[in-house]
């Protein structure tokens, strides 16, 4: 690693927000130490690194911590040489930030309702419908932002690619558990093709968790919750 930089990432393996940081680090070709956190027994290092929110991810660079996934990704882009993550144009940067926030607010929120927080079948169905609506909106965003190229960032991946890409393993695991295609080629043709391209990237292969492992973890938690009820 050039310049003697010391990088340590605090995260949990299934967290899309920690995955997002891993994607950015791999995109820049950076070496780093990874520390898996136990959220039931938060480490003193995490508490001191993120004393306000007390949550992952946190990136420690030469002894100082940066928190919140999108902020960390932008920090990595500014602090290290290598392929850019955000565009140089101020308007295009603003658009990228808008869609990255949309992924977290709308897509992730709907997915979480469908799979985790929905208490009734009706609430879970509402979450599922909202997820498909968010994906269709992102289909339009991809067409506009990519300008016919491979990624939201154009010829190379950018902030929006990393924001959405960090959720790919969970979306695929949801398909396994639900037995239903989420990124459907008949409804979101561009996104389905984007997912295939993104999944083949070195950064994605380095950062994305195994889909079967994620599905198994979720099924075990559901079984444990049912047994405790």
């Amino acid at each position: 690693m050039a310049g003697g930089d010391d990088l340590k990432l605090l995260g949990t393996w299934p967290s899309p927000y920690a995955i997002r940081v891993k994607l950015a680090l791999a995109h820049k070709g950076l070496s780093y130490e990874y520390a898996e956190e136990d959220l039931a027994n938060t480490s003193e290092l995490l508490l001191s690194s993120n004393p306000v929110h007390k949550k992952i991810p946190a990136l420690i660079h030469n002894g100082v911590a940066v928190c919140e996934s999108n902020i960390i990704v932008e920090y990595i882009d500014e602090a290290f040489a290598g392929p850019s993550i955000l565009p140089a144009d101020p308007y295009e940067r603003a658009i990228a930030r808008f869609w990255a926030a949309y992924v977290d607010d709308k897509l992730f929120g709907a997915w979480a309702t469908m799979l985790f927080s929905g208490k009734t079948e009706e609430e879970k169905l509402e979450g599922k419908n909202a997820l498909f609506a968010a994906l269709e909106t992102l289909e339009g965003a991809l067409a506009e932002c990519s300008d016919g190229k491979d990624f939201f960032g154009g010829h190379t991946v950018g902030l929006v690619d990393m924001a959405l890409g960090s959720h790919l393993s969970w979306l695929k695991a949801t398909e396994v558990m639900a037995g239903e295609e989420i990124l459907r080629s008949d409804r979101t043709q561009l996104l389905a093709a984007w997912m295939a391209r993104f999944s083949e990237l070195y950064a994605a292969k380095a950062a994305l968790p195994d889909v079967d492992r994620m599905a198994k973890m979720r099924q075990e938690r559901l079984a444990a919750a049912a047994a405790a009820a």
Side-chain angles (χ1 to χ4, degrees):
M1 183 162 45
D5 290 296
D6 180 31
L7 286 167
K8 184 171 187 174
L9 174 62
L10 311 181
T12 60
W13 70 267
S15 165
Y17 302 107
I19 293 166
R20 186 172 304 172
V21 178
K22 292 179 181 179
L23 287 167
L25 291 165
H27 182 71
K28 289 283 188 175
L30 297 169
S31 301
Y32 63 97
E33 179 186 353
Y34 176 71
E36 180 75 11
E37 285 287 327
D38 178 2
L39 299 185
N41 186 25
T42 308
S43 72
E44 288 299 322
L45 181 57
L46 178 58
L47 293 175
S48 63
S49 299
N50 191 356
V52 176
H53 296 301
K54 302 179 177 63
K55 64 181 183 180
I56 54 107
L59 181 70
I60 304 170
H61 179 206
N62 291 338
V64 294
V66 184
C67 304
E68 300 294 309
S69 61
N70 283 339
I71 293 173
I72 297 172
V73 169
E74 292 200 33
Y75 176 82
I76 291 169
D77 195 31
E78 294 175 1
F80 298 98
S84 296
I85 296 173
L86 276 95
D89 180 76
Y91 176 74
E92 291 180 0
R93 280 202 306 274
I95 294 299
R97 289 171 178 140
F98 173 88
W99 286 114
Y102 181 90
V103 168
D104 289 342
D105 294 342
K106 300 299 183 181
L107 182 136
F108 180 74
W111 171 83
T113 300
M114 172 186 170
L115 203 63
F116 289 102
S117 61
K119 293 181 174 57
T120 65
E121 290 304 315
E122 183 179 355
E123 288 180 355
K124 292 176 182 178
L125 180 59
E126 288 176 358
K128 177 181 175 180
N129 291 335
L131 173 62
F132 284 129
L135 287 170
E136 289 178 7
T137 298
L138 286 166
E139 174 87 353
L142 176 58
E144 182 176 346
C145 294
S146 68
D147 194 25
K149 301 178 181 68
D150 286 345
F151 301 103
F152 283 92
H155 288 298
T156 61
V157 298
L159 179 66
V160 187
D161 297 284
M162 292 181 188
L164 182 56
S166 64
H167 294 286
L168 275 188
S169 288
W170 270 120
L171 290 174
K172 291 178 181 179
T174 303
E175 291 181 335
V176 172
M177 290 181 286
E180 181 177 1
E181 197 175 16
I182 301 296
L183 286 174
R184 290 169 48 179
S185 57
D186 62 329
R187 297 176 67 171
T188 51
Q189 182 177 5
L190 295 178
L191 277 180
W194 168 88
M195 178 182 69
R197 287 191 296 270
F198 186 89
S199 298
E200 289 302 311
L201 295 171
Y202 164 78
K205 291 180 178 180
L208 295 179
D210 178 71
V211 171
D212 290 336
R213 182 185 179 194
M214 300 187 91
K216 181 180 179 182
M217 181 195 72
R218 177 57 183 158
Q219 289 165 343
E220 287 174 348
R221 289 185 177 179
L222 286 172

